[in-house]
Amino acid sequence: MITVNNKITDAQLIKMYKAGNEVAFAELLARYKTKIYTTIYMIVKDKYIAEDLFQETFIKVINKLTSGTYNEEGKFSMWVSRIAHNLAIDHFRKKKRYPTILAEDGSNIFNTLDFTEDSIESKRVKEDTHAALKQLIQTLPESQREVLIMRHYADMSFKEIAEATGVSINTALGRMRYALINLRKKFKETEFAYDQNSYPK
Amino acid sequence: MTKTVTQNDLVRYVYGEVSPEEKLSVEVQKICDTEIDESLEDMMHLKSVMDTIVYQPQTSSLEAILKYSKQKRQSLQTV
């Protein structure tokens, strides 16, 4: 079995995959599963739909890579992020639902969070902080939330965001700025204001 | 002479979308201007918290994707 490590570039993995190496694809999937799933989930806020759209994203990736028409000049990470984001936004718009503050449906949403070896209290503070911030993100105006998710979770550049949303780069930047300002303001107002000891800079 | 830094420049700085010259401008003004320093600190801190909010797909989804890939490969080989 060929061992693939993360020192191999995405482009090399794609080349290997196109040549028939399934392990290379498994490595690509492992590299991007967290970012892609997180991006989708932050938009649709439903884990079952997020799972479906996550699979659909990578099925599109597989179909494109095996079709021989994939453009190797582009960056794989931006391409797959774009697919995921578009699928999530299309779903969101079809359903005409605006994710609002949702009651958590159980601890299993949080069980994917990866903590370092912290005390129980410190873990609890972080869990509460995450819960508060996740809810606050959902209270942002749609245009600000969209830019925040596209930049922070889908890792799209502001130029790409501007193109995708049909606005100028300055508008995209302004929306991001206000998203951060609003989050900062609301976050400080909550009792879970960031604990400087839990998040060392 | 360093260019005056705008709030939009700070956002680009936090997300690594500045030129080396712009980066220097921000870092110089950060030393001289407490408002810029505080804005940056808040943004960086918020970013670090958001970085820790991640979700993972289920193993069954990963398996389904890998299975599809193998099946796709096989179907192409039989053509």
Side-chain angles (χ1 to χ4, degrees):
Chain A
M1 184 178 175
I2 298 169
T3 303
V4 176
N5 60 41
N6 61 10
K7 291 182 182 172
I8 297 178
T9 65
D10 290 349
Q12 287 170 319
L13 286 173
I14 289 167
K15 198 172 173 182
M16 289 162 71
Y17 175 60
K18 283 160 83 170
N21 189 328
E22 292 294 327
V23 172
F25 179 76
E27 170 64 19
L28 263 180
L29 182 61
R31 280 185 191 181
Y32 291 103
K33 65 181 173 77
T34 304
K35 183 170 92 159
I36 298 303
Y37 185 78
T38 301
T39 298
I40 294 170
Y41 183 77
M42 291 295 281
I43 295 170
V44 303
K45 282 298 279 181
D46 179 314
K47 63 179 180 176
Y48 301 108
I49 293 169
E51 297 284 348
D52 284 346
L53 294 177
F54 174 76
Q55 290 185 40
E56 206 176 321
T57 298
F58 278 96
I59 283 171
K60 283 180 180 282
V61 166
I62 289 164
N63 288 341
K64 187 70 173 177
L65 292 182
T66 54
S67 71
T69 59
Y70 173 68
N71 176 7
E72 304 211 5
E73 290 176 8
K75 212 168 144 188
F76 176 79
S77 64
M78 283 193 194
W79 174 58
V80 66
S81 292
R82 190 76 175 252
I83 294 172
H85 179 262
N86 287 347
L87 282 173
I89 288 294
D90 283 349
H91 173 84
F92 170 73
R93 285 177 182 155
K94 275 179 198 164
K95 294 290 179 188
K96 292 191 189 336
R97 273 191 304 183
Y98 291 84
T100 54
I101 301 172
L102 299 176
E104 296 298 342
D105 62 356
S107 61
N108 57 354
I109 287 182
F110 296 97
N111 68 2
T112 59
L113 297 175
D114 210 0
F115 296 119
T116 56
E117 290 297 309
D118 289 327
S119 66
I120 290 172
E121 189 187 337
S122 180
K123 279 185 186 178
R124 181 65 199 208
V125 166
K126 279 188 180 175
E127 284 174 8
D128 292 341
T129 303
H130 289 149
L133 185 56
K134 278 183 286 190
Q135 289 193 346
L136 289 174
I137 289 172
Q138 297 309 317
T139 67
L140 290 172
E142 192 195 345
S143 59
Q144 291 175 22
R145 186 175 64 244
E146 187 177 42
V147 173
L148 183 93
I149 291 171
M150 287 168 95
R151 186 61 196 87
H152 193 90
Y153 293 101
D155 206 20
M156 295 165 71
S157 69
F158 286 111
K159 181 169 181 279
E160 282 202 312
I161 293 169
E163 285 167 4
T165 54
V167 300
S168 67
I169 293 180
N170 272 340
T171 299
L173 280 165
R175 287 176 179 174
M176 184 70 177
R177 180 162 54 90
Y178 280 107
L180 293 174
I181 287 171
N182 286 335
L183 277 182
R184 188 175 75 206
K185 189 176 151 193
K186 291 181 187 188
F187 203 47
K188 282 183 174 175
E189 287 167 4
T190 69
E191 64 180 89
F192 305 115
Y194 23 51
D195 178 346
Q196 305 276 350
N197 293 323
S198 293
Y199 297 98
K201 292 171 194 165
Chain B
M1 184 176 165
T2 53
K3 170 184 161 287
T4 303
V5 162
T6 66
Q7 289 290 323
N8 279 357
D9 291 335
L10 297 186
V11 176
R12 290 193 299 116
Y13 174 86
V14 167
Y15 280 92
E17 290 192 24
V18 287
S19 65
E21 294 77 23
E22 287 171 324
K23 186 169 182 269
L24 183 63
S25 286
V26 168
E27 286 167 0
V28 164
Q29 293 207 16
K30 187 180 158 213
I31 295 167
C32 315
D33 188 327
T34 49
E35 201 179 304
I36 286 181
D37 185 38
E38 279 172 13
S39 287
L40 262 181
E41 200 161 293
D42 278 344
M43 280 192 219
M44 298 290 276
H45 199 70
L46 199 49
K47 183 174 179 287
S48 73
V49 178
M50 289 199 289
D51 281 342
T52 63
I53 299 175
V54 293
Y55 299 95
Q56 299 290 351
Q58 293 190 354
T59 307
S60 55
S61 286
L62 301 175
E63 287 169 354
I65 289 165
L66 293 173
K67 184 177 172 188
Y68 178 83
S69 176
K70 286 182 183 132
Q71 287 173 343
K72 181 78 179 178
R73 176 87 54 202
Q74 281 165 5
S75 71
L76 289 171
Q77 282 168 354
T78 55
V79 169

